[in-house]
Amino acid sequence: MTCLGQFMVLLDSTIVGAALPDMQQRLHTQLTGLQWIVDAYVLLVAMLLLSGGVFADRFGRKQLYLAGVTVFTIASALCAVAPSIGWLITGRVVQGIGAAALSPASLALLAAAYPVPQERVKAIGLWAGFSGIGLAAGPLVGGILVDAFGWPAIFLVNVPIGAVLLLAGLYILGESRNPGAPTIDIPGTVLSVLGVGALTYGLIEGGSRGWTSPVILGGFAAAVVILAVFFVVEGRGSTPMLPLRLFRQRLFTVSNTAMVVVGFALMGSSFFFSQFFVYVQGSSILRAGLQTLPISLGMVIVSPFAGRLAAKYGFRIVVTIGLALAGLGLLALGLVHADTGYGNVWWRLAVVGIGFALTMSPLTGAAIQAVGPQEGGLASGISSTTRQIGAVLGVAVLGAIVRTRESDGASFEAGLNSAFVAAGAVTLVCAVFTGLWLVNSKPAEVSAPQAQPTGSGDSPTVTTPV
């Protein structure tokens, strides 16, 4: 039950990319609209993920899971029948709220159902496996559905899955909660959504409205002020959603900084893959979905080994090599053109996928090891959140690069090349950063990140590429 719910969330995170070209044509929207379709969802997941775990602990994991399934399913139906881009973005916002409740509650339910550590590890491995299958299946399933029925089908597919989960979950799942869970940081949650939302608005709309227009400058100013207030509130609160004291640990700070870059480069570049194959190389939507598979498959195949490699060689070596591979792969993608054969493209995507697969599990493991065992779940959740924040910024910034190049008279192909090169350059700089500053842990102490208990209870915080 919980694995299928996580599969649905992860499938939705990659299936949308295959539908973006069809959305652009049928909804008559520009690149800005496509960015909002993706970022509206990712932004809400990023900002509500930590609070979702606390909600599950305090009010009941089954209750929040079923509520998340209900919201996600209704929002999917709303997206499918959306008559305009505005309604679709609204549906994506609601979807993000549902995913932020469903995802952490699913893992919390799974951990509570298997109290024996050995059985819990196997169950979490199955849960992670469903996550990987959802990621890999997204481009293929999306291509097939869009080619046959159009973009609404990628959202309609969630409706029967959600209905089955809701009906079966009412009878199968058992309730559990943690009465000692910390209180919910409502001010921090609201300020984080507003602050990152204002920054995202400025980055996405700046290309079309003008970077010096009053509304864009106002958006950036509001982001600075709101985020400053957020850090003040988090520094003074008794139970903050983001304990700033954790960032006094260099390993924690460096690993989360690198995770922002991973989200930035991975999600920002993935946003354009299907568009490259459709608009630059003239592929069909179905074929484009198949052509983007190497990056997903590379991640799914390599990810299970990343933790073991980190255990053997240490965080620094594995993460730095992974970032270097991903950066070089993105730079290589910046050199492809309309007449580049797919035989000379697929391996670049695979290198990017393999590189990022080598980074995510070890970076989360580094964040967990930087704190005490009682805060492992919190560290894991923060690691997921920083990656999602990077994803929001990646779609916004790389999209801004493409729009700026086009406004200067360059072709869409040239804009994409610039975006891929920028993502690759940022990733390579981060590789140097981790190579110099990521603390090498003793190999015996390093392990693949597992679901850890939160500070006062037994509920794990989710760590997924939602």
Side-chain angles (χ1 to χ4, degrees), residues 70-417:
T70 302
V71 171
F72 192 89
T73 304
I74 293 174
S76 297
L78 175 62
C79 289
V81 299
S84 65
I85 186 68
W87 279 105
L88 179 55
I89 293 172
T90 301
R92 291 287 283 168
V93 168
V94 181
Q95 258 195 327
I97 296 173
L102 188 164
S103 194
S106 71
L107 187 54
L109 280 168
L110 193 68
Y114 293 91
V116 179
Q118 292 83 354
E119 295 180 355
R120 181 184 294 183
V121 169
K122 293 179 181 178
I124 291 176
L126 180 63
W127 181 89
F130 268 84
S131 299
I133 294 172
L135 282 175
L140 176 59
V141 174
I144 294 173
L145 290 175
V146 174
D147 187 68
F149 306 107
W151 68 261
I154 68 166
F155 298 112
L156 283 176
V157 73
N158 295 327
V159 176
I161 297 176
V164 170
L165 288 175
L166 182 61
L167 294 175
L170 287 170
Y171 299 99
I172 295 176
L173 296 176
E175 185 59 282
S176 64
R177 55 173 52 86
N178 174 20
T183 58
I184 299 167
D185 181 13
I186 295 178
T189 302
V190 173
L191 288 170
S192 64
V193 173
L194 294 177
V196 178
L199 177 61
T200 304
Y201 176 84
L203 291 170
I204 291 180
E205 297 292 335
S208 58
R209 295 178 180 269
W211 295 105
T212 58
S213 65
V215 66
I216 298 302
L217 294 178
F220 287 133
V224 171
V225 173
I226 295 173
L227 290 175
V229 175
F230 167 77
F231 285 115
V232 171
V233 170
E234 295 301 282
R236 295 181 178 179
S238 58
T239 56
M241 62 176 287
L242 183 65
L244 300 182
R245 57 180 171 77
L246 296 181
F247 289 91
R248 296 171 187 165
Q249 300 289 334
R250 190 176 82 177
L251 180 60
F252 189 82
T253 301
V254 173
S255 62
N256 279 284
T257 301
M259 195 63 95
V260 172
V261 173
V262 170
F264 175 93
L266 176 59
M267 189 66 178
S269 58
S270 297
F271 174 76
F272 288 109
F273 289 154
S274 289
Q275 296 180 66
F276 166 77
F277 286 119
V278 172
Y279 294 135
V280 176
Q281 294 206 323
S283 297
S284 66
I285 292 177
L286 174 58
R287 185 180 178 188
L290 293 170
Q291 289 173 317
T292 59
L293 274 177
I295 187 168
S296 298
L297 292 177
M299 294 182 68
V300 170
I301 293 171
V302 175
S303 288
F305 301 98
R308 302 176 195 175
L309 292 172
K312 184 175 182 179
Y313 300 107
F315 296 128
R316 177 185 294 172
I317 293 176
V318 176
V319 170
T320 301
I321 291 176
L323 288 171
L325 284 174
L328 292 173
L330 288 169
L331 289 180
L333 283 173
L335 301 176
V336 298
H337 301 289
D339 57 353
T340 303
Y342 185 68
N344 200 21
V345 176
W346 73 266
W347 63 266
R348 305 172 197 236
L349 294 169
V351 168
V352 172
I354 292 170
F356 283 126
L358 289 173
T359 64
M360 287 191 285
S361 177
L363 283 175
T364 303
I368 291 173
Q369 185 165 309
V371 303
Q374 295 301 312
E375 294 182 310
L378 176 62
S380 176
I382 292 174
S383 182
S384 292
T385 299
T386 54
R387 185 179 67 248
Q388 297 292 345
I389 291 173
V392 173
L393 298 178
V395 173
V397 172
L398 296 188
I401 291 175
V402 172
R403 287 197 313 274
T404 301
R405 292 279 283 128
E406 286 184 305
S407 64
D408 291 337
S411 64
F412 182 66
E413 175 186 336
L416 289 185
N417 289 341

